[in-house]
Amino acid sequence: MLELLVLLSAAVVAVPLFQRLGLGSVLGFLTAGVVVGPSVLGLIDDIEAIRHLAELGIVFLLFLIGIEMKPARLWRMRRQVFGFGLAQVVLTTLVLTVLGRLAGLPPPVPLLLGSALALSSTAFVLQLLAERNELATHHGRLAFAVLLLQDLAVVPLLALVPLLGGEGLELEVKIGFAILEALVIFAGVLVAGRHLFGPLFRHVAASRNSEVFTALALLLVLGIAELMEVAGLSMAMGAFIAGLLIAESEFRHQVVADIQPFRGLLLGLFFMSVGMSVNLDGLVGDFANVLLWLLVLVVVKVTVMWPVALLAGLRGAPAQAVALLLAQGGEFGFVLFGVAHHAGLLDEMLFQRAILVVALSMALTPLLVYIADRLLVAQRARLAVSALGVTAAATGEEEPLPVLIAGFGRVGRRIADLLVTAGIPYFAIEQDAETVSHAREEGYRVFFGDVSRPEVLRAAGIRGARMAVIAVDRGEPTEQTVTAIRRESSRVPIYVRARDRAHCRRMLQLGATHTVSETLETSLQLAGDALTGSGLPRERVDQLIDSFRREYHTDTGDPPEPHSPAASDKPLA
């Protein structure tokens, strides 16, 4: 209990501080581990026991990455992912491997170090891109594609590490075995599990017991991970396959929300265990080599990624920005180095040096991002002066942002139909598993989940939505959903289906952008039909209804908008 309190205290102090400094949570956890570990305060004794528990963080991380590897997404981005992403990983690995051999490192250490250092920090880079609203830009999409391939490459790399420790096989044969092994396992588990987990999740979701649903999600991750380890492979690979199994499932957002807390805590514990493994005393005399490795790593990754970005169609500052964004080592480097160290492929000195190089490269990232920002700002200024900026914006290829529909009853379904007719993309979240199942059979893009939970909204990507339309037919869940959306994003417009005037006022106080009262619109529709049937001209009826609606919304503090449903005589439902 005392060691647990020490770890929690160190994380609570270090992580917010490092995030405030713009250095990210990973470096915060690493530093906290260094401070409480043997090198500084020596407050933690049994590092090995903590490391065994912390390895579950990697299991959950690989599971979430597997969920993101949706076949449809990979197919849409196949040219960028398997073309430019693969080129970056292969070329960077090749250059670093050659440099390692020239430095006198014995095989297979250069290949192991080169492939691990070729990976960048997915969490770090995506967070930086999201904070700058650059995920939808050309350089943001290319960076995302490269990171996607790097995440995918972790699986064969994890399979490769134990093979590299074996005897009697040539290196090329070992690499071929690693790739073949990963492909066979993928195919076998996907075929076996594709028709098993969907019905199982539907059965549990129908019970509306969130604790049992979470238990099933944990059983899926840990069960398949354990099966893979029994089969002689890694638990992390099993977790990745488990993620693939439900990547296209309607339950993916809810599962991500349920798994995320376990992943966050255990992954933070893993990074702290890595920090506790750092021997600062032994690295004092080796610091010059660490700085040399750091310089070589950044220069090689920038030199490789820059021409790859040019081949991808980027020019000038955007190509340079991608190269700088991906110049650091990544969190998977810690994973691969730890596995290799445990397998005896890396001695203690190389293990310590590699960990410190990755950590320092991540610490250097904010400076590299600042340089990239300056380059982008300078280029935008030049484009504005030459009047090319408007043309570039007009011919951009950004995909339209989707609309989130919360609740998929009759109202939500009609909204989806109208959005499809208008050519506007959408996705819906509904808590009734049977409704979700039927809607997906009819071709609707609906996912199972509790939309009032911020972690579900986060997993669904609410910050990248064009707007949110709340079509839930109950008062309290509607209020919780508006509050959750507004907590996650202050800019996403929220259109709400409300019951009456008081409910409209309450929704506006909670942060809704626009409300539509069910009782008002039903009353106006009936009144309009009655007035028309009484002989009043339709134009006069429309004037009366529009006047009444304006007074109503003015009274609630929400004047109707020119393009909103409340501005016409057509009810939202």
Side-chain angles (χ1 to χ4, degrees), residues 95 99 121 169 175 191 211 214 216 323 348 368 469 549:
V95 173
L99 292 176
S121 175
L169 286 176
I175 295 175
V191 170
E211 289 80 10
T214 302
L216 177 59
E348 185 65 24
L368 299 177
V469 179
R549 183 184 282 114

mmCIF file of all heavy atoms in Angstrom, residues 95 99 121 169 175 191 211 214 216 323 348 368 469 549:
data_model
loop_
_atom_site.group_PDB
_atom_site.id
_atom_site.type_symbol
_atom_site.label_atom_id
_atom_site.label_comp_id
_atom_site.label_asym_id
_atom_site.label_seq_id
_atom_site.Cartn_x
_atom_site.Cartn_y
_atom_site.Cartn_z
ATOM 1 N N VAL A 95 18.605 2.746 -42.536
ATOM 2 C CA VAL A 95 19.702 3.694 -42.280
ATOM 3 C C VAL A 95 20.260 3.513 -40.871
ATOM 4 O O VAL A 95 21.490 3.459 -40.670
ATOM 5 C CB VAL A 95 19.203 5.144 -42.487
ATOM 6 C CG1 VAL A 95 20.278 6.140 -42.056
ATOM 7 C CG2 VAL A 95 18.833 5.380 -43.947
ATOM 8 N N LEU A 99 24.058 2.294 -39.711
ATOM 9 C CA LEU A 99 24.875 3.104 -38.800
ATOM 10 C C LEU A 99 25.253 2.308 -37.555
ATOM 11 O O LEU A 99 26.371 2.435 -37.040
ATOM 12 C CB LEU A 99 24.110 4.380 -38.409
ATOM 13 C CG LEU A 99 23.890 5.406 -39.527
ATOM 14 C CD1 LEU A 99 23.041 6.571 -39.020
ATOM 15 C CD2 LEU A 99 25.232 5.928 -40.043
ATOM 16 N N SER A 121 6.123 8.786 -31.627
ATOM 17 C CA SER A 121 5.144 8.764 -30.541
ATOM 18 C C SER A 121 3.747 9.093 -31.070
ATOM 19 O O SER A 121 3.434 10.258 -31.350
ATOM 20 C CB SER A 121 5.535 9.756 -29.443
ATOM 21 O OG SER A 121 4.537 9.809 -28.451
ATOM 22 N N LEU A 169 19.158 -19.663 -37.342
ATOM 23 C CA LEU A 169 18.392 -19.181 -38.482
ATOM 24 C C LEU A 169 19.004 -17.877 -38.984
ATOM 25 O O LEU A 169 19.431 -17.044 -38.197
ATOM 26 C CB LEU A 169 16.930 -18.943 -38.096
ATOM 27 C CG LEU A 169 16.035 -20.173 -37.904
ATOM 28 C CD1 LEU A 169 14.666 -19.738 -37.423
ATOM 29 C CD2 LEU A 169 15.919 -20.968 -39.194
ATOM 30 N N ILE A 175 12.963 -12.797 -40.035
ATOM 31 C CA ILE A 175 12.013 -11.721 -40.347
ATOM 32 C C ILE A 175 10.817 -12.282 -41.106
ATOM 33 O O ILE A 175 9.666 -11.946 -40.830
ATOM 34 C CB ILE A 175 12.713 -10.611 -41.171
ATOM 35 C CG1 ILE A 175 13.801 -9.937 -40.335
ATOM 36 C CG2 ILE A 175 11.694 -9.582 -41.644
ATOM 37 C CD1 ILE A 175 14.621 -8.924 -41.100
ATOM 38 N N VAL A 191 -11.103 -15.146 -38.334
ATOM 39 C CA VAL A 191 -12.128 -16.063 -38.842
ATOM 40 C C VAL A 191 -12.879 -16.723 -37.690
ATOM 41 O O VAL A 191 -14.103 -16.853 -37.712
ATOM 42 C CB VAL A 191 -11.479 -17.138 -39.749
ATOM 43 C CG1 VAL A 191 -12.487 -18.223 -40.087
ATOM 44 C CG2 VAL A 191 -10.944 -16.498 -41.024
ATOM 45 N N GLU A 211 -21.770 -3.022 -15.617
ATOM 46 C CA GLU A 211 -20.650 -3.722 -14.983
ATOM 47 C C GLU A 211 -20.329 -5.026 -15.713
ATOM 48 O O GLU A 211 -19.163 -5.359 -15.932
ATOM 49 C CB GLU A 211 -20.976 -4.026 -13.512
ATOM 50 C CG GLU A 211 -21.000 -2.805 -12.611
ATOM 51 C CD GLU A 211 -22.304 -2.031 -12.714
ATOM 52 O OE1 GLU A 211 -23.253 -2.553 -13.341
ATOM 53 O OE2 GLU A 211 -22.378 -0.917 -12.183
ATOM 54 N N THR A 214 -18.588 -4.244 -18.995
ATOM 55 C CA THR A 214 -17.164 -3.968 -18.768
ATOM 56 C C THR A 214 -16.401 -5.259 -18.504
ATOM 57 O O THR A 214 -15.282 -5.455 -19.002
ATOM 58 C CB THR A 214 -16.989 -3.013 -17.578
ATOM 59 O OG1 THR A 214 -17.713 -1.804 -17.833
ATOM 60 C CG2 THR A 214 -15.526 -2.683 -17.359
ATOM 61 N N LEU A 216 -17.126 -8.215 -19.648
ATOM 62 C CA LEU A 216 -16.973 -8.920 -20.922
ATOM 63 C C LEU A 216 -15.857 -8.302 -21.751
ATOM 64 O O LEU A 216 -15.074 -9.018 -22.399
ATOM 65 C CB LEU A 216 -18.293 -8.887 -21.703
ATOM 66 C CG LEU A 216 -18.260 -9.525 -23.090
ATOM 67 C CD1 LEU A 216 -17.850 -10.995 -23.008
ATOM 68 C CD2 LEU A 216 -19.614 -9.394 -23.784
ATOM 69 N N ALA A 323 8.171 16.115 -41.211
ATOM 70 C CA ALA A 323 9.459 15.533 -40.845
ATOM 71 C C ALA A 323 9.839 15.881 -39.405
ATOM 72 O O ALA A 323 10.323 15.035 -38.652
ATOM 73 C CB ALA A 323 10.541 16.016 -41.809
ATOM 74 N N GLU A 348 22.647 -4.249 -20.381
ATOM 75 C CA GLU A 348 22.144 -3.184 -19.503
ATOM 76 C C GLU A 348 22.530 -1.804 -20.017
ATOM 77 O O GLU A 348 21.722 -0.870 -19.990
ATOM 78 C CB GLU A 348 22.692 -3.393 -18.080
ATOM 79 C CG GLU A 348 22.144 -2.419 -17.049
ATOM 80 C CD GLU A 348 20.653 -2.574 -16.814
ATOM 81 O OE1 GLU A 348 20.119 -3.679 -17.077
ATOM 82 O OE2 GLU A 348 20.007 -1.601 -16.387
ATOM 83 N N LEU A 368 10.840 21.179 -31.664
ATOM 84 C CA LEU A 368 10.714 20.858 -33.088
ATOM 85 C C LEU A 368 9.355 21.294 -33.629
ATOM 86 O O LEU A 368 9.247 21.791 -34.761
ATOM 87 C CB LEU A 368 10.912 19.355 -33.302
ATOM 88 C CG LEU A 368 12.277 18.784 -32.891
ATOM 89 C CD1 LEU A 368 12.294 17.275 -33.093
ATOM 90 C CD2 LEU A 368 13.402 19.445 -33.678
ATOM 91 N N VAL A 469 -26.481 16.623 -32.616
ATOM 92 C CA VAL A 469 -27.935 16.735 -32.568
ATOM 93 C C VAL A 469 -28.430 15.747 -31.514
ATOM 94 O O VAL A 469 -28.255 14.532 -31.655
ATOM 95 C CB VAL A 469 -28.572 16.425 -33.933
ATOM 96 C CG1 VAL A 469 -30.090 16.540 -33.840
ATOM 97 C CG2 VAL A 469 -28.034 17.374 -34.993
ATOM 98 N N ARG A 549 -43.678 31.535 -33.124
ATOM 99 C CA ARG A 549 -42.431 30.825 -32.863
ATOM 100 C C ARG A 549 -41.326 31.796 -32.430
ATOM 101 O O ARG A 549 -40.548 31.517 -31.516
ATOM 102 C CB ARG A 549 -41.998 30.054 -34.113
ATOM 103 C CG ARG A 549 -40.744 29.222 -33.897
ATOM 104 C CD ARG A 549 -40.270 28.532 -35.143
ATOM 105 N NE ARG A 549 -41.056 27.343 -35.429
ATOM 106 C CZ ARG A 549 -41.853 27.213 -36.482
ATOM 107 N NH1 ARG A 549 -41.993 28.227 -37.323
ATOM 108 N NH2 ARG A 549 -42.515 26.106 -36.688
#
